[in-house]
């Protein structure tokens, strides 16, 4: 790839998983990072979010690549908090070229408070993505250099899993909603050479998937029970992808080699959606 020397990427959910992998991979290509994460648990969810120590570790890993990272706590559901975090990073670097709206959550297990669970997932996975884009868009456009926006959707954004569960339904609705958001932004921003795409990963090893709550669902499904992961299987013989697999694809998508790619919904799914 041509490299991303001198460019700056704004990444949400940067403390671990895909967000961390994106930060490290883009730093390897020469980009500096503005990275945020909530670094706090959400009571309606059934697994822990990343910690401040996780975010600090991401910062250290970026620095090992010879690049800088401004790392801050921010909840994507709170636009003003997120905008303040972005502004701090922007003051440090003086530019932004790439936006990766990656933060996302889902409740694993039976619902308890369907209204809260719906609102928290929609607030993070859809509204939070909108907040992320709008937090950085004025400076991205003002730079006059074009840019790349990547919205992290899911295979659920292309192919819904049967469910009445509030969190699972909200997850699918949010991830499908990102496609519409992406298409509108891509068409509007194309004359400014700002490209917008969604990525749609299958299961990826992360804090969302590697935890006791997910293990319980997998055991239930293996015993013949019906839940959010029943029947979910990739076409390729890969049970789960690694965060670096997704980061490698995103590094291409935000590079100059993909300068003609916009308005696309890219399945990074090991063939999941063709089954």
């Amino acid at each position: 790839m041509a490299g991303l020397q001198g460019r700056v990427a704004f990444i949400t959910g940067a403390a671990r998983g895909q967000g961390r992998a994106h930060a490290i991979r883009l730093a390897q290509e020469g980009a500096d990072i503005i990275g945020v994460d909530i670094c706090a648990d959400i009571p309606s969810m059934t697994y822990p979010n990343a910690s401040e120590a996780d975010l600090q570790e991401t910062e250290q890993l970026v620095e090992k690549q010879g690049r800088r990272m401004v790392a801050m706590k921010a909840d994507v559901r709170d636009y003003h908090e997120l905008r303040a975090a972005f502004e701090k990073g922007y003051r440090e670097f003086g530019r932004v070229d790439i936006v990766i709206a990656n933060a996302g959550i889902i409740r694993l297990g039976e619902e308890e408070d369907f209204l809260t669970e719906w609102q928290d997932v929609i607030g993070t996975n859809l509204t939070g993505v909108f907040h992320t884009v709008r937090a950085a868009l004025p400076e991205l456009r003002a730079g006059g250099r074009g840019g790349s926006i990547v919205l992290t959707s899911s295979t659920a954004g292309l192919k819904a899993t049967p469910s009445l569960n509030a969190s699972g339904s909200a997850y699918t609705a949010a991830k499908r909603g990102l496609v519409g958001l992406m298409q509108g932004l891509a068409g509007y921003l194309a004359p400014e050479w700002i490209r917008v795409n969604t990525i749609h990963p299958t299961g990826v090893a992360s804090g969302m998937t590697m935890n006791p709550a997910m293990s319980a669902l997998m055991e239930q499904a293996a015993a013949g029970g019906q839940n959010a992961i029943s029947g979910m299987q990739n076409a390729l013989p890969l049970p789960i992808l690694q965060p670096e697999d997704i980061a490698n694809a995103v590094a291409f998508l935000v590079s100059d080699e993909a300068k003609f790619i916009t308005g696309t919904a890219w399945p990074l799914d090991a063939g999941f959606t063709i089954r």
Side-chain angles (χ1 to χ4, degrees), residues 66-100:
R67 306 311 305 174
R68 293 181 294 158
M69 176 174 174
V70 174
M72 292 153 294
K73 289 178 59 177
D75 185 343
V76 297
R77 294 173 297 176
D78 185 331
Y79 171 78
H80 298 290
E81 182 176 284
L82 186 62
R83 172 65 186 177
F86 169 77
E87 287 178 335
K88 181 177 179 181
Y90 187 80
R91 287 194 298 269
E92 176 71 22
F93 298 124
R95 64 185 289 167
V96 64
D97 306 273
I98 298 161
V99 177
I100 302 177

Side-chain angles (χ1 to χ4, degrees), residues 12 47 93 119 134 163 183 185 192 197 199 221 223 259-260:
T12 62
Y47 59 88
F93 298 124
Q119 291 163 356
R134 293 300 286 263
S163 176
Q183 290 173 340
L185 290 169
E192 301 174 46
N197 297 280
I199 57 169
K259 64 183 179 182
F260 58 92

